[in-house]
């Protein structure tokens, strides 16, 4: 049985989560989540010491190397998502048509909401040539440094350098995944949207594709959630919804700050509309 909580209603909160009805389910899935984290860490270490050096050895050209890295990470994360499904921890729910759309994307800026830790993994697993801006924490992490530093764009660059790198990536045919909140959404709601995606779209004359990351409660993968925590009622479900592309062309003759603000307002509206028509599912 599934109870539907309509937008604006809230039966449970971050401080008052739904009670655990099946402790065997809950504890086993918390342990399974920790095991999956361990497997991910081990896989990242193996990729850093084998896959990254091989790409550097084979591809002297930086653009070709990064594209090969994108494809490699996409394939590995695709199978990791399958692994999570086998463990009955998370399930990506998407139609064949939408999966085909993701696989055929080129030179698009993917802008999505960011409710959980697995959002970027879900998107990258479906897009063979997906680039993204990696924050300083991941760039400095010992295990992920080799992967992030060689395959993706560092967020530590200056504004001009960052925009330039993003434009080059898009012009080469790669897609660029951006979460405009800059971090995972707070359990109490979304963070303010930043205008970086709009500025890059204007600089590259590139369309923005809003993607709403829907599904059920991501308790345990949200910001500030503890490691030993899981959805108290059901397996994590991810339902990405592809929205209509948004072109920066109508705003190109406006001053850059105004154009970026209006373009980002249109993107936020597209994602907000999807959030409003998608009811929140709580499995009982």
């Amino acid at each position: 049985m599934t109870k539907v909580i309509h937008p604006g209603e809230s039966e449970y909160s971050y401080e008052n989560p739904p009670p655990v009805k099946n402790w065997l389910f809950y504890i086993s899935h918390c342990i399974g989540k920790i095991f999956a984290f361990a497997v991910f860490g081990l896989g990242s270490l193996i990729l850093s010491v084998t896959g990254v050096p091989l790409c550097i050895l084979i591809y002297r050209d930086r653009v070709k190397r990064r594209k090969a890295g994108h494809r490699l990470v996409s394939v590995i994360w695709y199978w990791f998502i399958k692994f999570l499904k086998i463990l009955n921890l998370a399930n990506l729910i998407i139609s064949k048509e939408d999966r085909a759309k993701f696989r055929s994307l080129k030179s698009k800026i993917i802008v999505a909401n960011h409710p959980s830790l697995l959002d970027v993994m879900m998107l990258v697993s479906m897009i063979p040539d997906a680039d993204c801006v990696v924050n300083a924490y991941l760039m400095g992490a010992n295990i992920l440094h080799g992967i992030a530093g060689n395959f993706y764009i560092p967020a530590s660059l200056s504004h001009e350098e960052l925009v330039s790198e993003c434009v080059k990536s898009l012009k080469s045919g790669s897609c660029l995944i951006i979460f405009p909140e800059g971090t995972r959404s707070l359990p109490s709601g979304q963070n303010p949207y930043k205008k970086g995606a709009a500025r890059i779209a204007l600089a590259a004359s590139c369309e923005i594709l809003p993607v709403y990351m829907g599904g059920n409660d991501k308790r345990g993968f949200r910001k500030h959630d503890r490691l030993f925590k899981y959805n108290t009622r059901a397996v994590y479900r991810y339902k990405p919804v592809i929205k209509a592309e948004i072109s920066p062309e109508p705003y190109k003759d406006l001053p850059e700050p105004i154009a970026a603000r209006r373009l980002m307002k249109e993107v936020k509206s597209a994602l907000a509309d999807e959030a409003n028509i998608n009811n929140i599912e709580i499995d009982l």
Side-chain angles (χ1 to χ4, degrees):
M1 176 183 176
T2 298
K3 181 174 181 178
V4 176
I5 306 298
H6 296 280
E9 299 177 359
S10 178
E11 182 177 357
Y12 303 110
S13 66
Y14 180 71
E15 297 79 10
N16 180 35
V20 177
K21 288 193 173 182
N22 186 335
W23 280 101
L24 179 61
F25 168 88
Y26 184 75
I27 294 174
S28 63
H29 281 71
C30 285
I31 294 172
K33 190 182 81 167
I34 295 171
F35 174 67
F37 270 112
V39 172
F40 177 80
L42 178 61
S44 298
L45 177 61
I46 293 172
L47 180 59
S48 292
V49 300
T50 59
V52 173
L54 278 174
C55 284
I56 294 174
L57 183 64
I58 296 172
Y59 299 99
R60 296 296 181 181
D61 181 75
R62 182 167 172 264
V63 174
K64 291 181 179 179
R65 182 194 311 151
R66 286 176 60 172
K67 284 182 171 293
H70 296 165
R71 291 191 293 271
L72 179 61
V73 172
S74 180
V75 169
I76 292 173
W77 282 3
Y78 171 84
W79 287 108
F80 185 75
I81 297 301
K82 292 287 187 184
F83 175 67
L84 294 179
K85 185 175 182 179
I86 292 171
L87 292 181
N88 198 32
L89 291 174
N91 190 12
L92 175 60
I93 302 171
I94 185 169
S95 67
K96 291 183 178 179
E97 293 77 11
D98 282 350
R99 188 180 286 276
K101 287 180 184 177
F102 274 118
R103 293 196 64 81
S104 64
L105 290 175
K106 290 183 180 299
S107 299
K108 304 293 182 185
I109 299 176
I110 316 298
V111 175
N113 58 317
H114 197 6
S116 82
L117 190 63
L118 295 183
D119 302 325
V120 66
M121 185 177 293
M122 294 290 177
L123 291 171
V124 169
S125 72
M126 296 184 290
I127 305 172
D129 189 5
D131 207 346
C132 59
V133 178
V134 181
N135 65 37
Y137 171 77
L138 290 180
M139 291 296 292
N142 291 330
I143 294 178
L144 298 176
H145 175 74
I147 302 171
N150 285 280
F151 297 159
Y152 299 103
I153 301 169
S156 57
L157 297 175
S158 67
H159 173 71
E160 292 76 15
E161 291 175 319
L162 183 62
V163 171
S164 176
E165 284 295 311
C166 289
V167 170
K168 288 177 184 177
S169 181
L170 289 164
K171 294 294 185 183
S172 73
S174 298
C175 290
L176 184 64
I177 297 174
I178 296 179
F179 298 109
E181 294 176 78
T183 184
R184 279 173 286 168
S185 305
L186 294 170
S188 57
Q190 289 186 329
N191 299 294
Y193 274 32
K194 299 178 181 179
K195 297 186 285 292
R199 290 193 173 102
I200 294 167
L202 291 163
S205 298
C206 178
E207 291 80 10
I208 293 177
L209 181 66
V211 175
Y212 178 77
M213 298 300 292
N216 62 352
D217 183 9
K218 301 303 187 299
R219 194 177 304 271
F221 274 145
R222 304 170 308 177
K223 194 174 182 64
H224 303 315
D225 279 347
R226 296 188 301 272
L227 180 62
F228 199 80
K229 178 177 275 193
Y230 192 82
N231 184 324
T232 57
R233 302 298 179 89
V235 172
Y236 296 124
R237 293 196 300 274
Y238 287 81
K239 297 179 181 179
V241 179
I242 301 174
K243 303 290 289 180
E245 291 183 7
I246 299 174
S247 173
E249 286 300 307
Y251 307 101
K252 66 179 183 179
D253 293 329
L254 296 173
E256 196 267 354
I258 298 175
R261 183 169 63 250
R262 292 185 181 178
L263 181 56
M264 210 61 220
K265 184 177 180 181
E266 190 175 347
V267 173
K268 186 175 182 179
S269 177
L271 294 177
D273 288 345
E274 191 63 39
N276 288 333
I277 66 174
N278 277 274
N279 295 325
I280 302 169
E281 298 177 357
I282 298 180
D283 295 274
L284 302 177

